[in-house]
Each structure stands twice: as C-alpha cells, then as structure tokens.
DNA sequence: TTTAATTATGCAACCGGTTGCAATAAATAA
DNA sequence: TTATTTATTGCAACCGGTTGCATAATTAAA
C-alpha cells in the first residue's frame, strides 16, 4: 500500500536537499559517488518511484511515441507495430497507438490528440484517402521527429521508410510475363498512396518493356476490401481481351480473388496466374499457394523504432530529407506456375 | 511558432485569477456563464491548449489505458485492439499497448512499466507461460481497474471478459462426432491458459457424453506455432488408432495442419475432419475451408473498452467479481463435411 | 600556509494546472 | 433598508520533480 514517497521524503531522511536527491537518482556528474550511493540505496530500500507526472512537467518530455496506422488488424500493420513496440520499449519508450480507419478525418483527429499528448515522436502510415498533410505541420514546427512508414508522403524535415515499390511491382509483373502471361491486370488501392501508385508504375513499365500494350482496362483501382471482390470479378469477366495474369497489390485480396475465380470455374494457374504482395501468412495457406513479394513489416518496424530512437538521442536527425529503403524479394509459389 | 500560452496568460489578459480560468475551461458550476464564455472565447482566440503534464500532475490521472497482449500480430489480438482503441479513443483516452511476446518475464516488465506510467486502467490478455500473478497486485492495491480479456485469470477485484470456451469446445467436438468421427484429437496450447484448458474440458465432456474413450493420445499440447506443425503431424502418424477428427484450438494452426496433412496424402474431410477456433479470416481462404467457432475479437474489444470506461466514470465497478461472457457460434464449412 | 581551482551540495525558482477555503458581490428574504 | 443566503471569484497551497546559479567543502597548486 506504501504511501508514495517523494524526493522530499528522501531528502529529509538523508539530510540532503531535494535537488541532490534528484541529481543522484539521475546520475548527474556533479554528485559524489558516495552521496549517490546513499541516495540510491535508500531509494531502493523505501521503494521510491519517480513520479512521471512531475518529471514530465519539468522536462516537457513524455517518453512516449505516437503511432497512427490505417488499421491495427492487418497482418502487415500489426507485425510492423510488433517490431516498433519491441525496439522502443527496450529503449524505455511507450507506444501510443491509434488507428485512422483509413479516414483522413480520423487521422487528423489522431494527430491532434497525439500532439496534445506531447508525444516525443510520431510514426505514421497514411490513411487511404489522406490528401492534405497540414495536420502534420505542428509536429514539424515543434521539431517533433516525424517518420512515415510504408504509406508515406514526402514532407520536408520528415523521414520515410519504404521499399522500392516501383521495382517490386516491376519484378512481380515481369515474373508474370516470364510465365507466359500476355494480358495483365493490375489490381491496387488508391493511386494517392505511394505503395499503390508505385507498384502500378512498375507494372506499367514492365508492360512497356516487354511490348505489351496497356489501356485502362489493365488497371482496376479497388479499396482491396474482401467485400469488393465482386467488382474485381466483374471487371475480369467484362474485359474484352482474356486476362491471363493478375498482379494484386495485396495478398489478402489476392487470396480472395483466387478463391472466387476458382469458384467461377477458372483454373489457377492454368488459365490465370496471380501474384500478390506482402507475403502475408495467408499466401502460403491458400490453394494454390500464392506467389508474392515479400517484405518484412517486422523489420520495417524495428528499423523505424531504431531510427526514431537514435534521432531522439540526437545521433541522427531527419533534417536532411531522409529515406530508408528496405529490400524486398520475389517469392514464387504455385499461383504463377507455368504449365 | 506560437509561444505556449498558459492559464496565467489568459488570467492576466482577462483580468481574472488563474483559478477562475481553470474552472471556466473545465466548466465548473461555480463560475458564471458570462465569465466562462469570455474565458473560453479568449482561449480559443489565442489557441490555448491545456498542458497535459501539469493537469496530470495535479489530477494524478493520465487519461491513458494500458494494454498487455501476448502479441500484436495475430488476427484476433489486433482485431480486439482495434475495438478497444475505437471505444477508448472516443471517450478521450489513449492506449498504451505493449506485448509480452508470450513470456511471463516480459509481461511482468510491461506491467511494471505501465504501472509506473500511471495508466488509469489495465487490460490484459495473459502470456502463454504466465504462472504467477503478483505483478498485477499493485494495480489492485491502488484500485486501478484491471480487466482480463480472453486469456484470463480470476483475481479478486478484477474483471474478466471471455467466451464460454468449455461450451464452445463441446460444440466443436460434438459437431465432429455428428459428422461421424470416432477417434478424435484435441490440439491446443498451454493448459495453464483458460482458453485452452476450457476448450479441452469441453472436448473431453463431449467424448464422455458420446461414449468415446479418451486417453492421453487424444490430446496434444502444442505452442500452436506453425513451426511446430511437424510434431502434430508425427503425433497423428504415430497414433495407434487412426485419427479421423481433429479439433484445433486455433485457426491458423488448423490451416497449416490441413495444408500439411494434404501434402502427406490425407484427404480432408474424407479421411480426417478438422475444426478450428476463432474464425480467423484464413479459415475461409484455406482449401478445404475450415469449420470453426466464431467469436468476435472486435466485439470483445469494444465491450472491454466500454466496461473500463464506465468503470472509470464510476458507473459500474469491478469490486464484485465481474465476468462478462460473450456469445460464440459454430461455423460449418468444408473441412468437416460428411461424405 | 595561502590561494586558486575543483568538486559537491543547497537554494529557490520553475513547469502549469487544480482545488479547498475565504472573501466579495449579487440576489432574496425579513 | 438591513440581514441572510447564494452565487462568483480570488488566494494560495499543492502536485513532485528539474536545474541554473550561488555557496560550501575539498583538493591541488603556489
């Protein structure tokens, strides 16, 4: 039940000043080893705990890092968060996590809240429909480290952590072409988000490079929600040229697509080859197993945590436009197998 | 960049006392409407923002709720968190999330950290190997609301939020028996966790009820990690009586099991029927699709958030042992289809 | 032994709200 | 009009650390 003991209590007991107690506990250099030892010993003995409120108030620092993600319940995001959490926790920081639910309005609110909560840094993966970025300027103005992850936007004095989506998109598409596909379809999310527009650019480049013609029927913009599978199926059915290869910018949607195409009587990979993106656990489990682009959310999280921490420790900083690009890898499974 | 303005600035400008400003901003009843209006107007005009540090210090309240989960990157957990986040956020609370990584030691650390951070409430889903619960007593002693979710432990003055795992286990098993299975296997996690031991109890009850014999070969305790699939396969192979029905306490593991059993030449559901647990998205996507028990992590999260909030608001409390049981539902898919 | 240079500690202001209690102003009753 | 009651507002202590600067204690140099 221990009534809270404060540095004042310690000071009185040890017959020193509160300031000395404070400095001792914080291992300040101007305190003698002897005194430090005494203070620390007594503090432990009495179970002293620093009152974060007070410490925060005078230091104006919360030891808290804010995160905004589109949603918590996606494999990629939760894995990334797991990585972030691990690193920042080891460094003594807490994570305040909030989700935008893919809405810019909610994202704005989240940003405001986190700002008001004085997070020491902010990590963001942008919502589906975010089109303005003013809600991040308070962070920049107050020099609060701002790091975008995966779904990024280039703002001055902020850093971004991504993979080379364009290249990955190119490689995925090239793989389909290698396997003999001629009429390709790209299914991705909002072109406003770098992850989708870049993958699409890669897709388009690959088509051009292999002299495959491209028109608007070769791209489908979707919210990638499983409930929207119907639209995708319709698009494929309606297409005048028979589609024989699909690059889906998201494994979960790709898995649903496989399931539904098979239900519709298509053979995969014989009639249509499909490649996804993310190497979500589901890609191994679906039948046929799904070829995909692997990149580790966990690693991205770890790296994000590390950069932010080292920024906070003053080792590096985000002043100079700072982009970290992670590696990715093509994973070939059954869904793109040549006959 | 807008020097911070404080209640003292407002007080000076408006020629009232800081106390009056504070009370006005908090809509205290003893301030006249006129004054309140003036203060609020001026506060808005100058873009006043309350300094949480100071407010926390004097109120000794953080408006922050701590959560400890075994891991962030499981569908169930991240969905549950999504639910919690939504509710508490709307109520003006922040969520500090930490993961125990299924280790009691880490869980202890997390609990300590969250305690030191003075969270206003704590939500916990226990780690795989947690066997002592002392790390939660500080919360109870300080009357910080403590709520266990899904993987629970009954502590006095704490609440629990669960489903009827025993009944669900019974129903899953009964379903297998209904479909003609005679030699059943239960694959679950640590018996120390209610979710697994209760499901097992239901399993055993069902066997007894249908006069099916039970011995140690009918149960396999696993960490349910996909890397442990080999052990499960071996167990099934080695079994003297030919196993024809498996109840796996976790969809992901069940999905891997299906995939691997098929690879080994078994036919599912013809030779072996399988039922999972959780209704994870993967259960629909695997082939054959997986029968399972559905219960909504999201709903559980929402409910958890709501109970904690209403407790914090003084509406209900956890003093009287408080258990909320959510409903669940048997979902029949292809993996248990009778021929 | 003195003086200068270090090292260790104390003092007190400060961070910015919150809140019990006293004081004053306004409203109602006598 | 005066005495009461009630509605408003101010005062000042408090929450518990942190930190610049002055002072005291100790050590090294002269």
């Amino acid at each position: 039940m221990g009534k809270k003991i404060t540095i004042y209590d310690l000071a009185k007991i040890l017959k020193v000043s509160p300031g000395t107690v404070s400095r001792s506990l914080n291992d300040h250099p101007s305190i003698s080893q002897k005194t430090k030892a005494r203070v620390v010993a007594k503090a432990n003995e009495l179970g002293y705990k620093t009152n974060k409120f007070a410490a925060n108030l005078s230091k104006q620092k919360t030891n808290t890092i804010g995160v905004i993600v589109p949603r918590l319940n996606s494999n990629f995001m939760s894995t990334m968060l797991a990585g972030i959490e691990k690193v920042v926790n080891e460094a003594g920081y807490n994570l305040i996590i909030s989700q935008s639910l893919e809405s810019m309005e909610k994202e704005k609110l989240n940003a405001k809240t986190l700002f008001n909560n004085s997070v020491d840094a902010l990590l963001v993966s942008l919502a589906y429909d975010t089109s303005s970025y003013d809600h991040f300027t308070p962070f920049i103005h107050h020099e609060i480290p701002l790091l975008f992850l995966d779904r990024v936007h280039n703002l001055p004095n902020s850093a971004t952590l991504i993979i080379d989506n364009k290249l990955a998109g190119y490689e995925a598409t090239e793989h389909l072409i290698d396997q003999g596909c001629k009429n390709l379809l790209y299914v991705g999310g909002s072109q406003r988000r770098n992850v989708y527009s870049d993958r699409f650019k890669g897709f388009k480049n690959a088509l051009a490079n292999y002299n495959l013609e491209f028109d608007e029927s070769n791209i489908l913009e979707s919210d990638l929600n499983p409930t929207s599978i119907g639209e995708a199926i319709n698009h494929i059915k309606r297409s005048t040229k028979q589609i024989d290869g699909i690059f889906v910018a998201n494994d979960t949607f790709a898995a649903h697509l496989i399931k539904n195409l098979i239900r519709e009587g298509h053979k995969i990979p014989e009639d249509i080859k499909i490649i996804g993106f993310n190497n979500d656990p589901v890609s191994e489990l679906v039948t046929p197993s799904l070829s995909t682009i692997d990149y580790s959310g966990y690693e991205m999280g770890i790296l994000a945590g590390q950069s932010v921490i080292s920024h906070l420790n003053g080792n590096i900083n985000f002043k100079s436009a700072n982009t970290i690009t992670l590696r990715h890898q093509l994973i070939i499974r059954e869904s793109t197998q040549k006959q």
Side-chain angles (χ1 to χ4, degrees), chain A:
Chain A
M1 251 336 34
K3 341 84 204 71
K4 310 268 177 58
I5 71 156
T6 71
I7 53 168
Y8 295 95
D9 300 325
L10 287 175
K12 198 171 300 171
I13 296 173
L14 296 166
K15 299 205 171 65
V16 294
S17 75
T20 299
V21 174
S22 172
R23 279 186 261 250
S24 297
L25 294 171
N26 290 309
D27 203 23
H28 187 102
S30 78
I31 297 289
S32 69
Q33 291 305 323
K34 195 166 22 145
T35 313
K36 267 183 204 167
R38 277 180 64 221
V39 172
V40 171
K42 185 57 85 179
N44 287 332
E45 179 189 333
L46 302 185
Y48 167 82
K49 290 221 218 66
T50 119
N51 178 320
K52 302 247 174 181
F53 300 126
N56 288 346
L57 175 57
S58 52
K59 287 199 297 203
Q60 301 287 333
K61 186 168 178 305
T62 53
N63 258 60
T64 285
I65 293 174
V67 185
I68 304 177
V69 294
R71 31 182 29 100
L72 280 161
N73 50 339
S74 90
N75 177 266
F76 180 76
M77 286 299 162
S78 57
T79 306
M80 190 173 80
L81 285 171
I84 299 174
E85 197 270 348
K86 181 167 187 299
V87 175
V88 304
N89 222 298
E90 282 165 3
Y93 284 82
N94 281 116
L95 217 53
I96 295 193
I97 298 176
S98 62
Q99 48 183 350
S100 62
L101 299 175
E102 300 286 13
S103 138
M104 172 164 70
E105 289 313 314
K106 181 84 195 302
E107 186 179 281
K108 282 184 180 172
L109 262 153
N110 290 337
K112 195 173 198 175
T113 306
L114 292 175
F115 184 73
N116 287 339
N117 274 280
S118 310
V119 292
D120 294 334
L122 181 66
L123 306 181
V124 184
S125 197
L126 292 165
Y128 192 84
D129 71 342
T130 297
S131 52
S132 120
Y133 305 90
D134 301 340
H135 43 306
F136 299 119
T137 54
F139 293 90
I140 292 172
H141 283 160
H142 286 76
E143 303 202 326
I144 296 165
L146 174 60
L147 174 63
F148 290 98
L149 295 166
D150 196 46
R151 291 167 168 208
V152 309
H153 182 76
N154 247 315
L155 287 185
N157 297 320
S158 73
T160 57
L161 189 45
I162 49 174
I163 59 164
D164 189 336
N165 284 289
K166 203 161 133 189
L167 179 58
Y170 184 92
E171 290 171 1
T173 312
E174 187 174 46
H175 172 62
L176 287 174
I177 297 172
D178 279 351
Q179 300 302 96
C181 300
K182 303 282 183 211
N183 288 307
L184 299 180
L185 171 65
Y186 166 77
V187 182
S190 167
Q191 290 284 352
R192 205 179 274 129
R193 293 284 71 82
N194 65 301
V195 290
Y196 301 119
S197 63
D198 285 353
R199 289 168 201 175
F200 173 64
K201 279 179 201 151
F203 172 80
K204 215 168 158 183
N205 285 351
L207 292 201
N209 240 31
Y210 285 89
N211 298 312
L212 295 175
E213 65 182 59
F214 170 81
D215 65 46
E216 285 309 310
S217 72
N218 295 113
I219 172 173
L220 172 63
E221 188 172 324
S222 159
D223 61 7
L224 300 181
N225 191 308
T227 54
S228 306
I229 273 292
E231 293 169 26
I233 299 283
N234 285 338
H235 184 99
I236 294 166
K237 274 190 189 160
R238 276 204 311 271
S239 182
T240 49
K241 30 189 186 180
Q242 173 68 35
I243 286 168
D244 58 5
I246 310 179
F247 168 30
V248 186
N250 167 310
D251 278 348
T252 310
F253 199 75
H256 276 96
L257 202 53
I258 288 180
K259 194 93 184 176
N260 280 275
L261 285 172
I262 290 177
R263 194 171 292 154
E264 296 270 327
H266 294 90
K267 291 210 180 310
I268 302 190
E270 293 81 354
D271 302 347
I272 306 181
K273 303 195 197 326
I274 300 187
I275 187 166
F277 209 104
N278 268 33
N279 197 20
D280 188 286
V282 79
S283 57
E284 284 196 86
L285 289 169
V286 73
T287 306
S289 59
L290 180 65
S291 295
T292 189
I293 299 285
D294 173 67
Y295 73 116
S296 166
Y298 191 71
E299 214 170 287
M300 190 174 270
I302 296 278
L303 219 59
Q306 287 171 344
S307 348
V308 163
I309 297 292
S310 55
H311 182 139
L312 286 171
N313 292 339
N315 299 333
I316 61 159
N317 81 349
F318 298 165
K319 277 289 166 62
S320 46
N322 201 326
T323 302
I324 303 174
T325 306
L326 270 72
R327 59 177 173 59
H328 62 267
Q329 190 189 356
L330 174 66
I331 303 225
I332 300 172
R333 297 208 182 89
E334 299 161 357
S335 68
T336 55
Q337 216 73 172
K338 205 190 298 200
Q339 276 60 63

